[in-house]
Structures are given as C-alpha cells and as structure tokens.
Amino acid sequence: EDWGDILGLKGSGSNTIVVKDGWIPREFTLPMDQFRPSGTDTPGWRFHGNALYAGQFMGYAGGSLACSQIGAAKAAMAEYERIIRSSRAHYGADVLKIEHPDFQRVFGLGMSMTLAAEALLLDTGRMYMEYSRGEVSGEPFSTLKAYQMMGIHHQIIRLAWEAGLEFFRAASSSNALDGQPMQRFFRDLATFKNNATHQADFFAPEI
C-alpha cells in the first residue's frame, strides 16, 4: 500500500510492509522503554563507555525529527532567495524582488527563524550529553528533563514551520504548482505539522 495519498509523501516511494505469521528470534530484538533512562545497562555504554548511549530516548527523539524540519526550512529559504533574485516585483518600483523591502522583510524574518531553530537544536544536543553524563555519574536523566527537551524540540519545529510558511506565501502562486521545489518543501513541513505525536500543546501538561 503506497503512502502517496499523504500530502508530504507523494512520490516518496514509501510503502507499507506487512509481515504475517512471522517469527523473530529473541536474540534479534532489544527491549525499548522510551520513558526510562538507559544508564549503564545499554550495550552501547558497556562497549564504548560513552554517555551518548546512556540517555533517554525521549530526550533526543524529537530532535532527530526536528532536524528534518530545519532542513526543509533551509531548502525553502534557498528556493525563496533564488525566486526573489530572478523575478521582478509586481507593484511599486520596477525592481527585482530582492531589492524590494517587502520581500527583503520576509527573507530576513524567515532566515532569523530558521537560524534560531538550528541554534536551539544544536543546544539540545549539548543538553542531552550533559544529562546523559549525569545519568552515569549519579544525577538521573529524569522523565521531566526528557519532556522539557521534547518541549524545546516542538518549539524548534514551530519556528521551522513559521519560517517555511513565510517563504511559501511570499513566493507567488506560480511556485505552488506541482513540480515546483517550493511546493515540495511546503508539503514536507505541512505533513509534519499535523503529526499527532508532535503537537506541542498535547505534551505541554507533562512539562
């Protein structure tokens, strides 16, 4: 069953795979508890002695997805810059859009939001390692800390969405046609935006 009916997955080649009456040997599986610190029990810690493998899944899960949204926002930003450098404003002075203050404003705001999202994501990497080192030295990587990190990841996603939306709306309708890069980047952002697992207000009570 192809996933092509989903807004952001059109033409992705993603397919649903169903295994019936299958058997997986126990030694091919690993337990997963996304709300429990890994600590020194993980194979990664025992083998590498690196705190990277000692943190909570929920502490980095949101970030691993937020990075894709930053990537989509960056792609939309690059495409928007190409558009405004190669097309003229439809009103006011007959200048390239890059020289028009309205389009400059959108570019500056969108870029600021995209860079802010990226800076936040990089800092959550620092937080994760700090909390993970604490986990192995006696200061627990608590569920609350993991939820707080998830909350930051949700704000990263919001910033990327708002940046991409600015670029999309100001790119003109001709760039929303099928096959246009800007439409693809917007689809990627919009599909993630309505993912039930990543609604910031649903998680906020846990923080």
Side-chain angles (χ1 to χ4, degrees), residues 3 12 17 28 30 38 45 56 75 77 94-95 109 115 121 123 132 138 142 166-167 172 179 183 187 189 199-201:
W3 294 359
S12 69
I17 299 173
F28 289 179
L30 288 172
S38 301
W45 169 263
Q56 281 216 36
M77 180 170 68
D94 182 22
V95 295
L109 287 171
L115 292 174
L121 180 64
D123 198 53
S132 296
S142 66
E166 286 294 295
F167 296 135
S172 80
Q183 191 215 68
R187 292 202 319 261
L189 289 162
Q199 300 300 317
D201 53 330

Side-chain angles (χ1 to χ4, degrees), residues 83-98:
I83 291 166
I84 63 176
R85 287 187 181 279
S86 59
S87 58
R88 308 190 77 80
H90 299 304
Y91 57 88
D94 182 22
V95 295
L96 287 170
K97 290 179 178 178
I98 189 68

Side-chain angles (χ1 to χ4, degrees), residues 20-164:
K20 294 183 177 180
D21 301 322
W23 179 76
I24 301 174
R26 178 182 291 274
E27 59 269 25
F28 289 179
T29 66
L30 288 172
M32 177 181 173
D33 186 346
Q34 59 187 4
F35 295 106
R36 184 182 67 84
S38 301
T40 57
D41 294 333
T42 67
W45 169 263
R46 292 195 298 269
F47 187 78
H48 299 288
N50 190 330
L52 175 68
Y53 303 97
Q56 281 216 36
F57 169 76
M58 291 296 285
Y60 69 83
S64 66
L65 297 171
C67 66
S68 70
Q69 300 306 284
I70 294 172
K74 280 188 164 185
M77 180 170 68
E79 176 63 7
Y80 180 76
E81 182 177 7
R82 184 196 67 78
I83 291 166
I84 63 176
R85 287 187 181 279
S86 59
S87 58
R88 308 190 77 80
H90 299 304
Y91 57 88
D94 182 22
V95 295
L96 287 170
K97 290 179 178 178
I98 189 68
E99 299 170 356
H100 195 291
D102 288 349
F103 295 95
Q104 291 173 345
R105 189 178 303 111
V106 170
F107 192 40
L109 287 171
M111 180 185 293
S112 298
M113 287 187 281
T114 303
L115 292 174
E118 184 174 38
L120 278 171
L121 180 64
L122 292 173
D123 198 53
T124 60
R126 178 197 60 77
M127 292 172 64
Y128 178 84
M129 289 306 299
E130 178 184 326
Y131 294 159
S132 296
R133 284 191 288 267
E135 173 66 24
V136 297
S137 64
E139 185 178 351
F141 191 153
S142 66
T143 300
L144 176 59
K145 289 178 180 177
Y147 268 123
Q148 289 171 340
M149 290 190 66
M150 178 68 81
I152 297 172
H153 292 146
H154 286 158
Q155 295 310 307
I156 292 168
I157 292 163
R158 177 182 61 80
L159 283 168
W161 161 255
E162 291 181 2

